Amino acid sequence: MNPKKIFIEKVKEKGGWVNAHAHLDRAYTLTKKNFKYSYFSLKKKWYLVDEMKRLATEEDIYIRMEKALEYFLMQGTQALCTFIDVDEIIEDRALNAAQKLKNNYENSIHICFANQVLKGVLDKKSKYWFDKSVEFVDIIGGLPAKDYGKEDEHLDILLKTAKKKGKIVHVHVDQFNTSKEKETEKLAKKTIEHGMQGKVVAIHSISLAAHTRAYRYETYQLMKKADLMVISCPIAWIDHTRSERLTPSHNSITPVDEMVPEGIIVAFGTDNICDIYKPFSDGNLWIELRVMLEACHYYDIDHLVEIATINGLKVLGLEDC
């Protein structure tokens, strides 16, 4: 028996891979100069990328995005979602590059764009660029941790905007692998509050694994009520640094093995590629999936195929395409 061969053939039968989460505008931005930034914390990297963004031309961004997209096409990818930075540092250069990419490749692959609100959505400048990007993107993106202490307001803006525009929402939550975080729970409650069931997706949710079993399963039930879907990006967080905080034994990865049997739709993505966030990540979808199935000890081939294909289409709103 060759499980990988069986899996790959089944993915092809379903039309090919779906990469549900990426940041193509930052792909291949790693340099000898900025490599040292790879060791910094995520919150510091949110600011350290400003240096690269400030210097990037529209053409630079397009070339990077095209190079990454071509690699995914070589792997047999049928659909992909990429977040693009939209803020006062990069202004509209990534948006313009994304429009060009869409024009050139819309007949080759389903490309969905989401706005990466790396400066939050609450202050005047951040809100300006958020509003400016809303009409172009297919998916409203969020990062509530960036508006620390005002996460509810951040989510309210995302969900109200998405509901008004008839778009789905993808939100980065529970990224720090600690039981202090309960962002997935908060996102599920906000989804219900705004009547957005089935239109909201949690990206990462790794901190769920740091909680007790009782809390995890209570949250899964809440997620089901909210019809909240999830995107796992295994390589993005498998490297999470150890701490002395006592928690249940777990890997720093979305608890896919628990979510899927509970009826939660789980997709997966590559996240960052060859940048200060993930210097060694190359966007290989098989390696990404392999890390997930091994870390979660989850070997159900048919469900893994769904995660890599059908579920990806669902979280991107493309299941009827």
Side-chain angles (χ1 to χ4, degrees):
M1 182 179 178
N2 186 331
K4 178 182 177 181
K5 184 178 180 180
I6 294 169
F7 170 83
I8 295 295
E9 287 301 317
K10 286 179 176 286
V11 167
K12 289 179 180 177
E13 290 171 6
K14 296 292 186 181
W17 297 91
V18 178
N19 181 359
H21 185 71
H23 293 271
L24 301 190
D25 56 339
R26 296 191 206 142
Y28 313 114
T29 54
L30 190 71
T31 65
K32 289 182 179 179
K33 181 181 178 181
N34 68 24
F35 182 75
K36 61 180 179 290
Y37 296 156
S38 303
Y39 291 95
F40 285 74
S41 69
L42 176 67
K43 289 186 176 181
K44 288 184 178 179
K45 288 176 182 177
W46 288 347
Y47 297 95
L48 290 170
V49 290
D50 283 354
E51 178 182 304
M52 173 274 294
K53 287 157 60 176
R54 191 174 287 110
L55 297 173
T57 67
E58 187 178 311
E59 186 64 15
D60 291 335
I61 299 166
Y62 177 80
I63 290 170
R64 294 197 296 258
M65 295 179 79
E66 184 178 57
K67 179 180 178 181
L69 190 63
E70 285 286 352
Y71 180 54
F72 288 120
L73 285 170
M74 286 173 57
Q75 294 179 72
T77 306
Q78 61 172 308
L80 174 146
C81 176
T82 179
F83 273 64
I84 49 176
D85 287 318
V86 285
D87 52 51
E88 66 268 26
I89 304 298
I90 203 160
E91 298 178 325
D92 61 357
R93 280 167 283 153
L95 280 173
N96 293 337
Q99 180 64 67
K100 183 178 178 181
L101 193 77
K102 183 176 183 179
N103 294 342
N104 291 342
Y105 285 89
E106 61 185 355
N107 294 324
S108 302
I109 184 173
H110 287 290
I111 309 175
C112 294
F113 294 99
N115 45 349
Q116 175 69 348
V117 290
L118 206 52
K119 303 298 182 184
V121 296
L122 298 183
D123 70 48
K124 188 175 181 180
K125 287 182 180 179
S126 301
K127 186 61 163 55
Y128 170 82
W129 286 104
F130 172 78
D131 291 339
K132 191 173 178 63
S133 65
V134 163
E135 294 302 328
F136 172 76
V137 297
D138 307 284
I139 295 167
I140 304 298
L143 181 62
K146 190 61 187 66
D147 286 317
Y148 182 74
K150 297 182 178 180
E151 294 91 343
D152 284 354
E153 294 175 51
H154 183 109
L155 292 173
D156 286 337
I157 288 175
L158 303 183
L159 294 166
K160 286 178 181 177
T161 302
K163 192 169 187 178
K164 180 180 178 181
K165 300 293 182 180
K167 300 186 178 187
I168 57 178
V169 184
H170 284 198
V171 188
H172 297 76
V173 292
D174 284 344
Q175 299 185 86
F176 297 104
N177 195 29
T178 170
S179 57
K180 289 182 178 180
E181 283 193 307
K182 295 184 176 181
E183 290 182 335
T184 303
E185 176 190 351
K186 182 184 289 291
L187 180 60
K189 288 179 177 177
K190 279 292 182 182
T191 298
I192 295 169
E193 178 185 327
H194 286 269
M196 288 287 284
Q197 291 92 329
K199 297 180 180 179
V200 180
V201 181
I203 306 165
H204 301 311
S205 291
I206 65 163
S207 290
L208 268 176
H211 286 272
T212 64
R213 176 182 173 86
Y215 176 82
R216 295 198 306 274
Y217 279 84
E218 285 175 8
T219 304
Y220 299 151
Q221 293 305 307
L222 179 62
M223 293 167 73
K224 286 171 67 176
K225 289 180 181 178
D227 200 2
L228 181 67
M229 298 175 278
V230 179
I231 297 172
S232 173
C233 301
I235 292 175
W237 282 108
I238 200 67
D239 65 347
H240 198 280
T241 53
R242 67 184 62 86
S243 75
E244 297 302 306
R245 187 178 178 85
L246 297 179
T247 65
S249 297
H250 67 285
N251 287 318
S252 56
I253 193 167
T254 313
V256 174
D257 55 310
E258 293 181 342
M259 289 180 172
V260 173
E262 288 301 304
I264 296 168
I265 293 171
V266 178
F268 91 125
T270 54
D271 213 344
N272 296 78
I273 298 169
C274 195
D275 60 11
I276 65 170
Y277 288 89
K278 299 302 304 180
F280 288 89
S281 181
D282 63 359
N284 185 301
L285 290 160
W286 165 248
I287 292 177
E288 196 78 46
L289 189 92
R290 175 77 189 280
V291 169
M292 184 186 76
L293 67 87
E294 298 289 13
C296 292
H297 195 80
Y298 191 71
Y299 302 146
D300 187 308
I301 293 176
D302 288 334
H303 282 160
L304 290 170
V305 170
E306 288 183 2
I307 288 169
T309 59
I310 296 170
N311 290 359
L313 295 176
K314 288 178 179 177
V315 302
L316 300 185
L318 298 174
E319 65 267 38
D320 296 325
C321 293

